[in-house]
Amino acid sequence: MELWMLAVAVVILLFIRVPVGLAFIGPSLVWALADGRSVGFSLKTAFDGLNSFPLLAVPLFILVGVMANRLGIADRLYDFCLAALGRVRGNLAYVNVGSAVGFSWMSGSALADVAGLGKMQIPQMVRAGYPYGFAAGLTASSSLISPVMPPSIPAVIYAATATVSTGALFAASVLPALLMALGLCAYIFIWTARRPDLTAVPFNAQRLLKASIAVLGPLLTPVILLGGILSGIFTPTEAAAVAVAYMLVLGVIYRTARWPVLWRSLKETTAITGGIMLILGAAALLGLILTRAHVSRDVAAFLTSVSDNPIVFMILVNILLLILGCLIDATAIILVTVPVLLPIALDFGIDPIYFGVVMIINLMIGLLTPPVGSVLYITSSVTGQPVDVVFRGIAPFLIPLGAVLVIVTAFPDFVLWLPRLLGF
Amino acid sequence: MGGSEQEPPRDVASSFDTADTANPAESAQSVPGSTEPRILRVWASIELGAASVVLVVIFVSVLWQVISRYIPGLNWPGVGELANYSLIVLTFIMVGYLLGKNGHIVIKIIDYLVKGRAFMAVRVVSALCVAVICGLLAYEAYGLILTFPNRRTAALEIPIWILYTVPLIGFASGTLRAVVNIFLAGKPEPTFDAAEAK
């Protein structure tokens, strides 16, 4: 069986709505059998691909995000941001970004962010006079900070696939994630300058004090997570378990950790994890086939025939990933493209940590765009508005996010400054 | 910037409740909840419950590993292996559940291109392909069970064939769900909400 036939079969299966994991594994299984592999080779490869300690961080970080939502911790962050930024014009817009940054330290998934905070924030912004498109677009865009800021689930998957340090990737993601927040705030500033009708809330010191006390516990989460990882007390996977334990402690203190809530959190996490992990296992098989077929070598030969300039290579990678991000799930892209693109990037002298951060930002922007943008659909779902209306709201925010992508791509030292400082 | 109060009550998510379903493609072709037969719904709750318990095992195992580093008396070499295999069990045991609930990650470009009977035909072909793939994978799992009758895992010494029974069950369940989905292709498909998983 030729490799192009495998690729066509995967595309056809994806097109007719076969789940991504099964669309990867089905043709790969036929390829393996046609190649003379024994019965069981494909399943064993997928099985072994999942047998990885770093990947245990995926369900645990998803659980942290789900628990933060269900135990009322996200609400506390929101209250704090509202109390702190109340008197700024366009306050709810800044609160939106601020609470997304706060939540991003606990959650590695944009979906958890937009599903949890979006439900609350978008209607509030609309009632306060913001157009629906702006509110939905901002909420969807700010949710992308979660999968970039550590703990980032795409970073865990990239690190496991590229065999690089998860801690280094986490450290490298901090500044780009903050730059994304800054970019969105700059857009809000320009937008609200033309909207004098948007009023503010008078500053209330007592309210701020109360909200600050309420948010002290959640604010310690990043300290525990990153502090633990960077000081070598625990690995990123272990940090995920510690974060779950910490969420439980907070839930007990806040008296929100009731059995039904915890059980629902487990079931929600399991339902999300099952879909992602099947893709991870299937992509391990597909990746093995691509490696054995020397796809990386052929792609490298093509790219070097175009240019031997690393900047041109990164521009081509950005274009490729933005297109793929619009069409295929981010997890699948990381697993399939990293074994192909990373060796070429290394040949160009590109740092794998920097490459990972650029890849993650590219793919996260794809979450906002049709036809596959899951954040787009969730935003549409939680607000009950059509996808095209939501996307019209999102479109302007692609400008600041695109600008961040350009800056991050153009200045590798900006990305690598923090990991170098921390000794990675 | 006056001082008008800007903070409405919290339970305002229903501001948009009167609007149509989010995805225009979904509004005509999908419904909330499950359309599966009752016996499969019961089986689904068992699968989800088992996977949730396994998730707790992963959490406890990884946490145990952290604690045991500082309390050597708690050190147990099998804990890492237990966590790793638990993740594998979780993955494969959820295959059928997610197929039944329309919960797998799927690319829905075609939803915007075809409608009505053509869309139903796509769903039939898709479910057929899924049934064949899951059936082949169940057969592979069966093959692996026969291939490794005596081999055991390194630390816990669990017979490997027991581990391969999980994908066998998961993909057999997936095959059954896919076959059922062929017959349900004429009905609106369920919309999946992980937050409401049951």
Side-chain angles (χ1 to χ4, degrees), chain A residues 17 79 91 199 238 383, chain B residues 6-7 10 16 69 111 189:
Chain A
R17 305 171 100 249
D79 286 341
N91 57 0
T199 53
E238 292 168 349
T383 59
Chain B
Q6 208 182 71
E7 188 191 1
R10 269 296 163 80
F16 304 102
R69 192 174 307 132
D111 295 29
E189 65 181 352

Side-chain angles (χ1 to χ4, degrees), chain A residues 316-340:
Chain A
L316 291 174
V317 166
N318 274 332
I319 294 168
L320 175 73
L321 292 175
L322 283 172
I323 294 169
L324 287 177
C326 295
L327 300 173
I328 307 175
D329 175 71
T331 309
I333 298 172
I334 293 173
L335 287 157
V336 174
T337 59
V338 167
V340 175

Side-chain angles (χ1 to χ4, degrees), chain A residues 13-23 25-27 29-30 33 38-44 46-48 50-53 55-56 59-60 63 70 75-76 78-79 82 86-89 91-92 119-120 122-124 126-128 130 132 196 198-202 207 232-235 237-242 244-245 248 263-279 327-329 371-372 377 380-388, chain B residues 1-24 26 47-53 55-56 58-60 62-63 65-66 69-70 79-81 83-88 90-95 97-99 102-113 119 122-123 125-127 129-130 133-134 136-144 147-148 151 160 163-164 166-168 171 189 192-198:
Chain A
L13 289 176
L14 288 174
F15 187 70
I16 62 167
R17 305 171 100 249
V18 170
V20 175
L22 295 174
I25 212 167
L29 193 156
V30 175
L33 291 174
S38 59
V39 171
F41 169 83
S42 302
L43 181 63
K44 190 169 185 312
F47 192 96
D48 293 343
L50 294 169
N51 191 356
S52 150
F53 191 74
L55 288 183
L56 290 169
L60 294 175
L63 183 57
R70 288 193 180 263
D75 292 349
R76 287 167 181 264
Y78 180 80
D79 286 341
L82 196 61
R87 66 179 187 174
V88 180
R89 186 201 285 178
N91 57 0
L92 288 183
K119 232 176 238 181
M120 177 172 67
I122 299 172
Q124 285 197 359
V126 170
R127 286 189 181 185
Y130 294 80
Y132 168 79
L198 293 172
T199 53
V201 183
R207 187 181 173 193
I233 296 173
F234 35 70
T235 65
T237 304
E238 292 168 349
V242 171
V244 172
L248 271 174
W263 184 238
R264 277 199 292 272
S265 301
L266 287 173
K267 289 200 288 188
E268 182 178 349
T269 305
T270 305
I272 298 169
T273 306
I276 295 173
M277 297 313 292
L278 183 67
I279 296 176
L327 300 173
I328 307 175
D329 175 71
V372 183
Y377 290 114
S380 155
S381 175
V382 296
T383 59
Q385 292 290 302
V387 171
D388 54 328
Chain B
M1 267 131 1
S4 67
E5 188 61 39
Q6 208 182 71
E7 188 191 1
R10 269 296 163 80
D11 53 342
V12 290
S14 58
S15 296
F16 304 102
D17 283 355
T18 52
D20 291 336
T21 315
N23 184 338
E26 280 184 358
E47 286 172 319
L48 184 64
S52 301
V53 171
L55 179 61
V56 175
I58 293 172
F59 163 59
V60 173
V62 178
L63 198 62
Q65 186 156 314
V66 183
R69 192 174 307 132
Y70 300 97
V79 78
E81 194 174 83
N84 282 350
Y85 285 125
S86 297
L87 181 62
I88 293 170
L90 186 157
T91 305
F92 289 115
I93 214 162
M94 287 298 287
V95 169
Y97 174 90
L98 291 172
L99 277 174
N102 194 23
H104 274 292
I105 298 168
V106 169
I107 293 170
K108 294 185 174 176
I109 302 171
I110 203 162
D111 295 29
Y112 295 90
L113 304 176
F119 183 70
V122 168
R123 284 180 62 191
V125 174
S126 173
C129 292
V130 171
I133 294 167
C134 284
L136 280 171
L137 287 165
Y139 176 67
E140 288 233 320
Y142 179 67
L144 286 170
T147 309
F148 300 107
R151 190 181 291 182
I160 292 279
L163 293 173
Y164 287 126
V166 178
L168 175 64
F171 286 116
E189 65 181 352
F192 180 69
D193 183 357
E196 300 299 323
K198 57 186 176 186

Side-chain angles (χ1 to χ4, degrees), chain A residues 260-320:
Chain A
V261 175
L262 296 176
W263 184 238
R264 277 199 292 272
S265 301
L266 287 173
K267 289 200 288 188
E268 182 178 349
T269 305
T270 305
I272 298 169
T273 306
I276 295 173
M277 297 313 292
L278 183 67
I279 296 176
L280 289 170
L285 173 62
L286 191 58
L288 182 76
I289 291 171
L290 294 178
T291 306
R292 288 193 176 176
H294 305 295
V295 172
S296 179
R297 187 190 60 193
D298 296 342
V299 174
F302 168 73
L303 285 173
T304 46
S305 72
V306 176
S307 170
D308 57 358
N309 185 328
I311 296 169
V312 175
F313 170 74
M314 284 308 295
I315 292 169
L316 291 174
V317 166
N318 274 332
I319 294 168
L320 175 73

Side-chain angles (χ1 to χ4, degrees), chain A residues 135-386:
Chain A
L138 177 63
T139 306
S141 306
S142 66
S143 76
L144 299 194
I145 297 167
S146 276
V148 178
M149 185 76 88
S152 150
I153 290 168
V156 170
I157 294 170
Y158 175 88
T161 314
T163 55
V164 296
S165 159
T166 312
L169 200 56
F170 277 2
S173 304
V174 173
L175 289 181
L178 292 175
L179 191 64
M180 286 170 77
L182 198 66
L184 292 174
C185 287
Y187 182 85
I188 294 166
F189 181 78
I190 295 165
W191 188 86
T192 50
R194 290 179 290 134
R195 293 295 304 264
D197 56 310
L198 293 172
T199 53
V201 183
F203 181 72
N204 183 330
Q206 198 179 359
R207 187 181 173 193
L208 179 60
L209 182 69
K210 199 177 161 192
S212 304
I213 293 166
V215 86
L216 270 179
L219 284 183
L220 278 177
T221 314
V223 178
I224 293 169
L225 269 176
L226 284 191
I229 294 169
L230 299 177
S231 61
I233 296 173
F234 35 70
T235 65
T237 304
E238 292 168 349
V242 171
V244 172
Y246 186 61
M247 287 293 131
L248 271 174
V249 171
L250 289 180
V252 170
I253 293 169
Y254 301 150
R255 296 180 184 180
T256 49
R258 292 182 294 274
W259 284 114
V261 175
L262 296 176
W263 184 238
R264 277 199 292 272
S265 301
L266 287 173
K267 289 200 288 188
E268 182 178 349
T269 305
T270 305
I272 298 169
T273 306
I276 295 173
M277 297 313 292
L278 183 67
I279 296 176
L280 289 170
L285 173 62
L286 191 58
L288 182 76
I289 291 171
L290 294 178
T291 306
R292 288 193 176 176
H294 305 295
V295 172
S296 179
R297 187 190 60 193
D298 296 342
V299 174
F302 168 73
L303 285 173
T304 46
S305 72
V306 176
S307 170
D308 57 358
N309 185 328
I311 296 169
V312 175
F313 170 74
M314 284 308 295
I315 292 169
L316 291 174
V317 166
N318 274 332
I319 294 168
L320 175 73
L321 292 175
L322 283 172
I323 294 169
L324 287 177
C326 295
L327 300 173
I328 307 175
D329 175 71
T331 309
I333 298 172
I334 293 173
L335 287 157
V336 174
T337 59
V338 167
V340 175
L341 294 177
L342 188 60
I344 307 169
L346 294 174
D347 284 347
F348 274 108
I350 293 165
D351 187 281
I353 298 293
Y354 156 75
F355 188 76
V357 173
V358 172
M359 175 175 259
I360 290 165
I361 295 175
N362 267 295
L363 298 180
M364 292 310 106
I365 290 174
L367 294 179
L368 295 177
T369 53
V372 183
S374 42
V375 167
L376 173 68
Y377 290 114
I378 300 260
T379 310
S380 155
S381 175
V382 296
T383 59
Q385 292 290 302

